[in-house]
Amino acid sequence: MRRVIDSHVHMEGLGDADAVLGRARMSGVDAVVAVGGDAESSAYALGLAEKHQGYVYPGVGVHPSKVLKMECGEAIGFVREHANRAALIGEVGLDYAYPFARAEEVRERMRMLYSGLLEVAAEMGLPVAVHSRSAYRDSLDILRRYDVAGAVFHWYDGPIKTLKLILDSGFYVSATPAAEYSKGHRAVLAEAPMERILVETDSPVHLRRLGRRSEPADVWLTVHALAGIKGMEPGEVAGIATRNTETLFRVGG
Ligand SMILES: [Zn+2]
């Protein structure tokens, strides 16, 4: 039985992968979900998964921050071509908070890209890791048009009203180390039932309190913060979140 899984990591941002994964194993992290945010990082995640079979589970995707860097058809084609080697489609989604995303044409382009990638996920029977910052409702409404094999709203800190619709649709949300300090994220984690929460680091995202970048071994920070919110034992929280991740991403036991 796995102790904990880091359900969302950008391995390409972490340098020496073997050392990073070694430290994760040592700390009791029993699997890592490595998402892709463009062609290079997706290929990197797929390569790592081959090298670390049964430990690294790869996602292929194009992050909304990359929407102007790739032609839509080309980006969707890349993901379609590699989806058969992936455990999930992700990280994909919408983000209206970027300064470059103020223009409606850019937002429309993000929605087109996201829709095309969801179509691939539905075709391939794959689950999806969704980025939805400042575009929570649109991210959900578009997702619901596709028959995907489950989804997680990663690092969700949006309105509780939309959270309820996410949960009603059968989707998950994930907790990050921001569960220590982010009011919005904490409110979401208090509201969502433990049966619908995954834990992650979103490494290499900067850890505010520790003043350094995160890596998968830091998923225990997320577990402890979430356990505090839920009034539960960290081991129990880790166990439930891990089962949820195994269910959603079909991570073999
Ligand atoms: Zn991410």
Side-chain angles (χ1 to χ4, degrees):
M1 214 180 75
R2 286 189 170 86
R3 288 161 290 184
V4 76
I5 297 174
D6 187 348
S7 68
H8 189 114
V9 182
H10 298 267
M11 284 300 299
E12 80 285 357
L14 284 166
D16 184 347
D18 290 341
V20 166
L21 294 174
R23 286 194 291 275
R25 282 181 199 272
M26 286 291 289
S27 79
V29 176
D30 292 331
V32 163
V33 176
V35 296
D38 59 13
E40 292 74 27
S41 56
S42 295
Y44 186 70
L46 290 170
L48 271 185
E50 250 158 51
K51 192 172 172 197
H52 300 272
Q53 270 187 35
Y55 194 76
V56 173
Y57 292 82
V60 293
V62 180
H63 191 280
S65 64
K66 300 289 163 70
V67 71
L68 299 178
K69 303 242 159 69
M70 262 177 118
E71 195 267 313
C72 257
E74 194 185 315
I76 295 161
F78 171 83
V79 169
R80 178 173 277 121
E81 196 182 317
H82 293 90
N84 62 337
R85 291 164 62 207
L88 66 143
I89 298 297
E91 180 172 356
V92 300
L94 305 175
D95 191 326
Y96 297 161
Y98 293 118
F100 73 85
R102 268 186 218 124
E104 187 52 34
E105 313 86 89
V106 174
R107 292 182 179 192
E108 184 51 33
R109 200 177 152 122
M110 274 184 184
R111 292 189 287 265
M112 273 177 58
L113 174 63
Y114 178 47
S115 300
L117 297 172
L118 291 174
E119 199 178 305
V120 175
E123 268 170 36
M124 301 296 295
L126 289 171
V128 184
V130 178
H131 176 108
S132 60
R133 185 173 63 150
S134 300
Y136 307 107
R137 191 56 203 264
D138 279 5
S139 299
L140 175 64
D141 287 347
I142 295 171
L143 177 63
R144 281 161 118 178
R145 293 183 204 144
Y146 297 88
D147 187 19
V148 298
V152 56
F153 280 71
H154 126 84
W155 197 334
Y156 183 81
D157 60 359
I160 296 294
K161 214 170 88 186
T162 309
L163 170 69
K164 289 190 170 145
L165 297 173
I166 289 170
L167 298 172
D168 285 347
S169 308
F171 302 133
Y172 294 83
V173 293
S174 68
T176 72
E180 285 185 0
Y181 60 82
S182 159
K183 220 176 139 195
H185 192 41
R186 289 177 65 87
V188 164
L189 299 173
E191 181 72 28
M194 201 44 238
E195 286 64 34
R196 293 296 188 80
I197 303 176
L198 315 185
V199 292
E200 58 153 288
T201 57
D202 202 16
S203 304
V205 163
H206 186 78
L207 293 171
R208 212 183 265 190
R209 182 166 59 81
L210 302 175
R212 60 166 173 83
R213 74 179 185 187
S214 53
E215 59 175 60
D218 296 312
V219 74
W220 294 109
L221 299 174
T222 306
V223 168
H224 282 271
L226 181 58
I229 293 167
K230 292 300 195 190
M232 290 167 71
E233 289 300 319
E236 198 185 347
V237 161
I240 300 170
T242 298
R243 279 203 299 280
N244 297 341
T245 307
E246 290 172 335
T247 303
L248 175 63
F249 293 142
R250 285 168 287 177
V251 172

